[in-house]
């Protein structure tokens, strides 16, 4: 720094302006990258939870032998498990948790169990043997399941990870004539 | 002494700053990008696996459907290529139903399927495994096991059969009078491999009065009396059979389900007619009086009826009515027909509650011909589906390892 007399105010202002512009650019890039990451992570989370829950519910419904209670947000039914035993379960929504309550045979684990959290909506519709919508449990032959999930940890609505995933499947009870 | 310490010499110019700053930013951006890449790369893999799993399940179900088709063809059109004979010539059946033959379904995948004998003559065990994309290096496999069944063929050895479920110490008798005709001699009505043994068969006695005509089958007798209950078991509906018939009859378009005593003065709908007790409970020797019912069929019918009339109680048939198929009562049967009508098929009274003997009473009204027709019993005069289907409660999706 020998021979230098320091920076003038103009030089400092220009340097500050240039640095600010540069940092703003860098910040924008980082922000975009972070947003993209949060978006992807949020999307993956809601899709995976939705997929897992739908798989389990539909697998058991597929092996169903009868529906004993049918409402728009819960279903109680009997199904035949891998060993040929008849199992009675209820799937329902409790807050944002999808719960599975096995009443027969009574399992060792405490019931009900939470299948997944972060459920935004569960919509069940039922169809009889003529594929006509019904609300009478005894007539149910097919169940349509629509599950909408959201992040389990609540985030601001404008946050990139505040995603929704809607999955849907229609299952015919294979053990029901 | 002049010091050589020049702490700010390095800042003589700032040309070296660009590289570290760039490297730092690049590192940050690269880290984020990599994380995002890993995330976005795993998602399609998970989705692809999920799709392969669903496809494998569909492949396994294709195998099940193929087996059901083959069984149905074996029953209804045995000469069809690919049909599996009924009964099975071997267990498991031959290719491609032996479980070892891979059946490709385009380029997506394929299945193996086996058909083996089940616990009953009208049951087969089907095991199907779906593969995606093939059975050599599968990405996904799904296995389905189920029991296939078709409507039970009772194949009774008699035109009028009484007994089999009578309470211990009670009698089950058949009374035939007047000019009644019971004919089991028409050989073209016989089922392949099923030879009737008598026109009438009873756990007790077969009594006649008047001039009834009992025509025996070739090598058989007009009346087979004092048969043990075990001789009836092969052509009776079990309680489980009754429940399945009830379920089918309750389905719209598949049958007719009624409860309590009924009267038919005109032909009821063809097909399965299941008349249940008022309570819906099985009929037993100790059923309450409120569950004891009688189905009254009479009138002068302008057309015939075909099907299975299955009653958790008694049946009384009179008048000029024509019925093809099976009349099955878990209590008593009284046949009092007249005119040009008659029954083609078989009449079975299991006599679960010994309220009276089963009779064929033609004394007052002329003729009430009952002609043995095994084919009509099997298919309800052409109204009962002979298709094989998945037996309720047996469909299981199981692990393949």
């Amino acid at each position: 720094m020998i021979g230098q007399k320091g920076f003038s105010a103009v030089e400092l202002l220009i340097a500050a302006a240039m640095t600010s512009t540069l940092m703003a650019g860098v910040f924008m890039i980082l922000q975009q990258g972070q947003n993209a990451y949060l978006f992807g992570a949020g999307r993956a989370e809601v899709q995976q939870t939705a997929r897992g829950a739908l798989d389990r519910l539909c697998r058991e419904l597929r092996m169903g032998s009868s529906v004993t209670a049918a409402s728009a947000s819960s279903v109680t039914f009997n199904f035949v498990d891998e060993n040929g035993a008849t199992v009675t379960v209820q799937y329902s929504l409790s807050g944002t948790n999808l719960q599975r309550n096995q009443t027969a045979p009574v399992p060792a684990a405490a019931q009900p169990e939470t299948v997944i959290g972060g459920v935004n909506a569960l919509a069940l519709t039922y169809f009889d043997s003529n594929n006509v919508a019904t609300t009478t449990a005894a007539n149910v032959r097919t169940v349509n399941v629509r599950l909408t999930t959201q992040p389990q940890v609540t985030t601001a609505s404008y946050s990139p990870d505040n995603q929704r995933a809607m999955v849907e499947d229609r299952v015919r009870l294979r053990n029901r004539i | 002494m002049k010091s050589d310490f020049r702490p700010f010499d390095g800042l003589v110019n700032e040309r070296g700053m660009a590289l570290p700053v760039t490297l730092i930013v690049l590192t940050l951006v690269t880290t984020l990008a990599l994380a995002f890449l890993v995330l976005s790369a795993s998602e399609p893999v998970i989705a692809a696996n999920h799709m392969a799993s669903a496809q494998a399940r569909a492949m396994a179900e294709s195998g099940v459907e193929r087996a059901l088709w083959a069984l149905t063809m074996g029953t209804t059109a045995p000469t069809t290529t690919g049909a599996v004979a009924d009964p099975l010539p071997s267990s498991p059946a031959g290719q491609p139903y032996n479980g070892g033959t891979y059946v490709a379904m385009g380029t997506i995948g394929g299945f193996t399927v086996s058909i083996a004998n089940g616990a009953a003559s009208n049951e087969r065990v089907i095991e199907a495994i779906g593969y995606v994309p093939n059975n050599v290096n599968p990405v996904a496999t799904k296995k389905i096991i189920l029991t296939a069944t078709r409507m039970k063929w009772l194949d009774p050895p008699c035109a009028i059969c009484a007994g089999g479920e009578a309470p211990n110490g009670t009698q089950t008798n058949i009374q035939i009078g007047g000019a009644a005709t019971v004919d089991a001699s028409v050989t073209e009505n016989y089922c392949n491999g099923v030879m009737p043994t008598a026109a009438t068969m009873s756990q007790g006695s077969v009594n006649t009065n008047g001039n009834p005509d009992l025509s025996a089958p070739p090598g058989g007798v007009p009346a087979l009396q004092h048969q043990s209950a075990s001789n009836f078991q092969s052509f009776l509906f079990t309680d489980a059979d009754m429940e399945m018939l009830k379920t089918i009859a309750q389905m719209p378009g598949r049958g007719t389900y009624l409860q309590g005593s009924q009267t038919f003065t005109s032909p009821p709908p063809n097909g399965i007619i299941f008349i249940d007790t008022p309570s819906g409970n099985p009929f037993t020797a100790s059923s309450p009086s409120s569950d004891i019912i009688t189905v009254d069929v009479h009138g002068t019918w302008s057309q015939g009826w075909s099907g299975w009339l299955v009653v958790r109680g008694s049946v009384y048939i009179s008048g000029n009515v024509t019925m093809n198929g099976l009349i099955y009562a878990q209590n008593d049967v009284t046949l009092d027909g007249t005119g040009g009508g008659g029954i083609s098929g078989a009449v079975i009274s299991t006599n679960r509650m010994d309220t009276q003997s089963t009779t064929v009473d033609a004394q007052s009204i002329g003729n009430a011909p009952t002609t043995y027709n095994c084919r009509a019993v099997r298919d309800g005069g052409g109204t009962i589906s002979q298709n094989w289907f998945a037996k309720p409660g047996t469909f299981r999706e199981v692990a393949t390892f």
Side-chain angles (χ1 to χ4, degrees):
Chain A
M1 296 180 71
I2 297 169
Q4 293 199 2
K5 298 174 181 175
F7 301 109
S8 68
V10 175
E11 284 176 326
L12 278 172
L13 282 173
I14 291 171
M18 287 176 67
T19 305
S20 299
T21 307
L22 183 67
M23 291 309 289
V26 169
F27 179 78
M28 288 288 284
I29 292 168
L30 287 174
Q31 184 70 27
Q32 288 298 320
Q34 190 181 25
N35 284 351
Y37 176 79
L38 288 173
F39 178 89
R43 195 84 193 142
E45 180 195 346
V46 295
Q47 282 183 352
Q48 283 176 21
T49 53
R51 197 180 286 138
L54 189 77
D55 262 3
R56 184 168 186 191
L57 172 54
C58 288
R59 186 172 191 273
E60 293 182 348
L61 272 173
R62 193 175 296 112
M63 293 192 280
S65 54
S66 62
V67 171
T68 54
S71 78
S73 61
S74 76
V75 59
T76 308
F77 61 98
N78 299 312
F79 74 94
V80 179
D81 72 7
E82 283 200 21
N83 302 314
T86 299
V87 179
T88 304
V89 291
Q90 181 192 53
Y91 280 85
S92 60
L93 203 54
S94 174
T96 58
N97 290 335
L98 177 66
Q99 293 196 317
R100 179 185 186 275
N101 188 14
Q102 182 173 325
T103 53
V106 178
Q111 298 291 310
E113 59 175 309
T114 298
V115 181
I116 55 165
V119 177
N120 181 266
L122 172 67
L124 299 159
T125 45
Y126 308 89
F127 300 87
D128 64 14
S129 56
N130 293 321
N131 212 27
V132 176
T134 182
T135 53
T136 306
N139 295 340
V140 173
R141 299 293 190 282
T142 305
V143 183
N144 195 90
V145 183
R146 179 185 291 172
L147 190 64
T148 308
T149 53
Q150 63 190 25
Q152 294 195 47
V153 178
T154 307
T155 55
S157 60
Y158 54 81
S159 175
D161 62 344
N162 187 20
Q163 296 291 314
R164 297 284 184 278
M166 189 178 75
V167 289
E168 188 167 4
D169 203 352
R170 185 175 291 204
V171 186
R172 181 175 62 82
L173 277 59
R174 304 294 204 271
N175 282 312
R176 181 88 164 89
I177 284 187
Chain B
M1 180 178 169
K2 186 177 179 181
S3 171
D4 288 334
F5 179 60
R6 295 173 179 175
F8 299 108
D9 272 7
L11 298 177
V12 169
N13 60 62
E14 297 167 356
R15 283 179 297 177
M17 282 297 287
L19 183 61
V21 169
T22 307
L23 282 175
I24 290 166
V25 172
L26 196 62
T27 305
L28 281 170
V29 172
T30 306
T31 307
L32 277 172
L34 277 176
F36 186 67
L37 268 177
V38 168
L39 192 74
S40 51
S42 63
E43 261 303 293
V45 172
I46 294 169
N49 285 341
H50 194 248
M51 187 171 76
S53 174
Q55 286 173 329
R57 184 184 300 111
M59 289 295 162
E61 294 204 321
S62 299
V64 171
E65 291 299 323
R66 171 74 178 267
L68 291 174
W69 170 85
L71 287 167
T72 298
M73 287 297 107
T75 301
T76 59
T79 57
T80 306
T81 304
V84 172
D86 183 9
L88 285 183
S90 64
S91 182
Q95 288 187 348
Y97 309 108
N98 58 356
T101 307
Y102 178 70
V103 180
M105 302 284 285
T107 56
I108 295 174
F111 61 81
T112 59
V113 62
S114 69
I115 303 174
N117 280 325
S121 61
N122 65 327
E123 292 183 357
R124 305 282 182 270
V125 176
I126 297 175
E127 280 192 28
I129 304 176
Y131 299 93
V132 171
N134 56 57
N135 64 330
V136 179
N137 293 306
V139 172
T141 60
K142 288 285 180 185
K143 184 177 184 179
I144 291 172
I145 300 176
L146 62 85
T147 299
T149 189
R150 59 160 162 68
M151 299 301 286
K152 189 174 182 179
W153 289 343
L154 295 185
D155 293 347
C158 37
I160 297 176
C161 321
E165 294 183 326
N168 287 336
T170 60
Q171 291 282 314
T172 302
N173 300 318
I174 296 177
Q175 180 74 36
I176 301 177
T181 299
V182 183
D183 186 358
S185 65
V186 186
T187 55
E188 56 261 37
N189 290 344
Y190 295 177
C191 297
N192 199 16
V194 179
M195 180 60 75
T197 54
T200 60
M201 176 175 167
S202 173
Q203 202 173 341
S205 59
V206 178
N207 302 311
T208 59
N209 66 301
N211 297 300
D213 179 10
L214 301 181
S215 299
V221 295
L224 205 55
Q225 306 182 76
H226 309 296
Q227 297 296 298
S228 68
S230 61
N231 289 352
F232 291 81
Q233 299 311 308
S234 66
F235 57 92
L236 299 184
F237 288 131
T238 64
D239 281 341
D241 293 332
M242 292 291 280
E243 284 302 316
M244 187 186 289
L245 287 170
K246 175 179 173 175
T247 305
I248 292 171
Q250 286 174 322
M251 289 179 64
R254 294 285 298 274
T256 304
Y257 174 77
L258 299 166
Q259 285 183 278
S261 294
Q262 305 289 326
T263 300
F264 297 113
T265 57
S266 59
N270 287 336
I272 296 175
I273 299 178
F274 191 96
I275 316 284
D276 204 354
T277 55
S279 68
N281 295 327
F283 181 67
T284 68
S286 56
S287 286
S289 58
S290 57
D291 266 354
I292 299 174
I293 63 167
T294 297
V295 174
D296 182 359
V297 180
H298 69 269
T300 301
W301 292 2
S302 58
Q303 62 185 40
W305 169 85
S306 296
W308 287 0
L309 176 60
V310 181
V311 181
R312 277 180 163 162
S314 299
V315 175
Y316 177 73
I317 298 174
S318 62
N320 185 353
V321 301
T322 301
M323 306 179 82
N324 300 303
L326 173 66
I327 313 296
Y328 189 97
Q330 289 191 312
N331 203 0
D332 300 318
V333 172
T334 302
L335 305 177
D336 202 0
T338 185
I343 295 169
S344 177
V347 177
I348 298 173
S349 156
T350 70
N351 202 25
R352 282 194 170 192
M353 183 182 280
D354 192 43
T355 50
Q356 67 173 73
S357 64
T358 293
T359 62
V360 174
D361 184 357
Q363 288 179 342
S364 61
I365 33 136
N367 54 17
T370 300
T371 307
Y372 177 79
N373 189 332
C374 177
R375 296 172 191 274
V377 173
R378 280 188 177 181
D379 66 5
T383 63
I384 307 293
S385 171
Q386 301 294 291
N387 290 358
W388 288 76
F389 56 94
K391 184 179 179 181
T394 64
F395 183 100
R396 289 180 294 143
E397 191 179 307
V398 300
T400 52
F401 49 84

